[in-house]
């Protein structure tokens, strides 16, 4: 199965050059209601990368995210570089089994945070969006407090529900839960002490983005669709980018050429 992402030609250049996909903090997205229903401690914990599984071109997405002048990326539904993570303790957080992760351990547990939702299964960080007028209540319902400890079951519910006015996006999203923690140097191996330190700091991420590596083989076979009625100059730019950064990249014309009238 393929997934699709509408973006600008400038962003395509940055993706190809860096070989990374950028995850944006949830509270910074264009939908201001994304954090409705979330308690303060969760509002800056999540980072998302937004896609759609709909292969049919979407004029609204072309317009909103490319101003009818960008491109549409096509990737397989898992396109991240794979990293082998060994079971063990990594400072407050740990794993009971080995698994494959889209992030290396040094980017899972940094001096600023720990990515807490990577367990080796894609459904632990990928979710299809459900558009409902009860989006706020459904997110709130997933958050419970027991003995002064906040729990979320399941975590993906905080990313799953959106206001129905956004239904045209037909969105699926990857997400990372970035939990602020004290620096690794301060961890002495005592989980209880680490928890106490963790509770004593502000639950807020200062980072606006987290970048994740794309599998090189997949990037070399990237499919880029041009915007409707693409002019020759934009075609030359995209073609040059693919030749420079992708050994077997493919450029496609829009199915809306000759159907949509550009303004």
């Amino acid at each position: 199965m393929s997934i699709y992402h509408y973006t600008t030609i400038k962003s395509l250049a940055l993706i190809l050059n860096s070989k990374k996909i950028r995850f944006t903090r949830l509270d910074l997205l264009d939908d201001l209601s994304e954090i409705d229903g979330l308690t303060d401690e969760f509002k800056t914990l999540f980072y998302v990368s937004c896609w759609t599984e709909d292969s049919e071109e979407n004029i609204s997405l072309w317009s909103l995210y490319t101003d009818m002048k960008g491109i549409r990326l096509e990737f397989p539904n898992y396109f991240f570089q794979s990293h082998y993570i060994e079971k063990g303790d990594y400072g407050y957080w740990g794993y009971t089994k080995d698994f494959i992760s889209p992030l290396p351990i040094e980017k899972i547990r940094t001096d600023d945070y720990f990515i807490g939702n990577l367990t080796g299964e894609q459904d632990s960080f990928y979710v299809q969006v459900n558009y409902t007028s009860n989006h706020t209540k459904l997110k709130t319902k997933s958050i419970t407090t027991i003995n002064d400890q906040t729990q979320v079951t399941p975590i993906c519910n905080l990313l799953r529900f959106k206001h129905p006015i956004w239904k045209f996006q037909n969105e699926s999203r990857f997400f990372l839960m970035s939990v602020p923690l004290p620096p690794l140097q301060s961890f002495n191996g005592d989980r209880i002490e680490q928890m106490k330190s963790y509770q004593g700091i502000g639950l807020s991420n200062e980072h606006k983005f987290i970048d994740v590596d794309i599998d090189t083989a997949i990037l070399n076979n990237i499919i880029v669709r041009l915007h409707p009625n693409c002019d020759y100059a934009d075609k030359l730019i995209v073609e040059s980018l693919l030749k420079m950064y992708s050994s077997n990249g493919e450029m496609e014309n829009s199915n809306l050429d000759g159907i949509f009238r550009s303004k």
Side-chain angles (χ1 to χ4, degrees):
M1 183 183 74
S2 294
I3 56 176
Y4 309 88
H5 179 71
Y6 294 76
T7 191
T8 63
I9 294 175
K10 178 180 177 180
S11 292
L12 172 66
L14 294 173
I15 289 168
L16 290 171
N17 178 260
S18 67
K19 299 178 174 59
K20 300 177 188 295
I21 283 291
R22 172 154 287 183
F23 284 59
T24 302
R25 209 173 67 203
L26 189 68
D27 63 316
L28 301 178
L29 298 182
D30 52 0
D31 178 4
L32 298 179
S33 68
E34 286 276 11
I35 59 175
D36 288 354
L38 303 186
T39 57
D40 288 343
E41 62 188 301
F42 287 108
K43 289 181 179 179
T44 65
L45 292 197
F46 294 103
Y47 294 75
V48 299
S49 177
C50 303
W51 298 72
T52 180
E53 295 180 4
D54 190 357
S55 61
E56 186 174 350
E57 289 181 58
N58 186 315
I59 292 178
S60 294
L61 295 181
W62 275 124
S63 180
L64 186 59
Y65 296 111
T66 82
D67 198 25
M68 304 304 288
K69 292 289 291 180
I71 56 91
R72 189 190 73 172
L73 296 178
E74 178 179 345
F75 279 147
N77 65 336
Y78 188 92
F79 54 83
F80 303 103
Q81 186 172 328
S82 296
H83 301 273
Y84 180 73
I85 307 298
E86 294 184 348
K87 64 181 179 181
D89 195 331
Y90 294 101
Y92 170 65
W93 228 285
Y95 299 108
T96 58
K97 64 178 181 179
D98 302 344
F99 67 96
I100 301 299
S101 164
L103 289 172
I105 192 60
E106 62 269 18
K107 291 186 178 181
I108 293 176
R109 176 58 165 112
T110 74
D111 274 342
D112 295 324
Y113 56 77
F114 192 99
I115 304 298
N117 63 304
L118 299 180
T119 61
E121 293 80 27
Q122 181 173 342
D123 59 5
S124 69
F125 76 112
Y126 180 78
V127 64
Q128 290 181 311
V129 173
N130 183 304
Y131 302 93
T132 171
S133 57
N134 293 323
H135 62 104
T136 299
K137 291 181 179 179
L138 288 168
K139 285 185 282 188
T140 302
K141 186 178 179 180
S142 299
I143 304 173
T144 58
T145 301
I146 301 175
N147 296 327
D148 295 327
Q149 294 294 317
T150 302
Q151 300 179 353
V152 183
T153 307
I155 290 173
C156 62
N157 273 2
L158 302 189
L159 290 302
R160 185 188 305 277
F161 303 109
K162 291 185 67 171
H163 194 289
I165 64 170
W166 296 93
K167 190 174 182 178
F168 69 89
Q169 293 177 325
N170 196 17
E171 181 185 344
S172 296
R173 51 175 47 172
F174 297 94
F175 67 95
L176 301 171
M177 184 179 72
S178 174
V179 182
L181 288 178
L184 279 165
Q185 294 87 341
S186 69
F187 182 64
N188 61 8
D190 188 326
R191 285 184 178 278
I192 296 176
E193 287 300 317
Q194 180 76 352
M195 175 66 84
K196 290 179 180 178
S197 298
Y198 162 64
Q199 290 176 330
I201 65 173
L203 285 172
S204 179
N205 278 307
E206 295 182 359
H207 301 281
K208 295 181 178 180
F209 312 104
I210 295 177
D211 294 332
V212 181
D213 293 330
I214 302 169
D215 185 300
T216 303
I218 291 174
L219 194 66
N220 281 330
N221 290 277
I222 189 174
I223 299 175
V224 178
R225 179 160 294 192
L226 301 169
H227 63 82
N229 305 324
C230 183
D231 58 46
Y232 185 59
D234 283 349
K235 287 184 180 180
L236 284 178
I237 294 171
V238 173
E239 185 177 37
S240 297
L241 288 170
L242 291 177
K243 286 182 178 179
M244 184 179 301
Y245 293 109
S246 179
S247 61
N248 197 39
E250 185 177 336
M251 185 175 69
E252 298 179 336
N253 291 322
S254 170
N255 286 335
L256 300 178
D257 286 352
I259 298 175
F260 172 82
R261 187 188 301 278
S262 301
K263 294 182 179 180

